[in-house]
Amino acid sequence: MHLVFFVTFTSLGYGDYVPEGLGRFFAIFDVVSGLALTALLIGKFASERQSAILVLLHTSDCQQRISGFAQELEQLGHAIADLTRRPIRNRSGRRCGTWPSSWRL
């Protein structure tokens, strides 16, 4: 039963014509090399597709991180600008000066 499945799977027919002698080894080599080549080709296509998807995900993730970092920097810049506009106060709450103009944004 395994022989019929193997022969049918390799599309050599149903066993009406069977190679004999040295031709049998060439037929086996032909079938096995054909299956191996097909498996390698499909594996290479799948690997390239997976690689492309990973590059796309990595680039998208990096872009999101850069955008988030830029937003944080902008918020930090606004916070610093707000701080430099306020007067400087001592511990008792009295106004004791202002920020230098070179510190203002």
Side-chain angles (χ1 to χ4, degrees):
M1 187 57 121
H2 294 290
L3 180 62
V4 172
F5 175 76
F6 182 74
V7 170
T8 304
F9 176 72
T10 58
S11 70
L12 292 176
Y14 291 102
D16 295 338
Y17 299 102
V18 180
E20 296 177 1
L22 192 57
R24 179 173 287 184
F25 292 109
F26 287 122
I28 291 171
F29 175 75
D30 185 35
V31 168
V32 171
S33 64
L35 290 173
L37 183 62
T38 303
L40 288 173
L41 186 64
I42 291 171
K44 183 64 176 170
F45 283 145
S47 173
E48 290 297 322
R49 173 110 171 120
Q50 183 71 19
S51 177
I53 289 172
L54 287 176
V55 166
L56 181 65
L57 287 174
H58 176 70
T59 337
S60 174
D61 182 50
C62 286
Q63 186 61 38
Q64 287 177 354
R65 288 182 181 190
I66 289 171
S67 297
F69 183 66
Q71 288 176 353
E72 288 178 17
L73 283 178
E74 187 176 342
Q75 291 172 356
L76 184 61
H78 290 306
I80 291 173
D82 289 343
L83 284 176
T84 57
R85 288 188 197 110
R86 296 180 186 167
I88 301 174
R89 300 188 183 274
N90 61 14
R91 290 182 187 212
S92 63
R94 292 185 187 162
R95 186 175 173 173
C96 59
T98 58
W99 294 96
S101 59
S102 61
W103 287 13
R104 295 189 182 164
L105 299 177

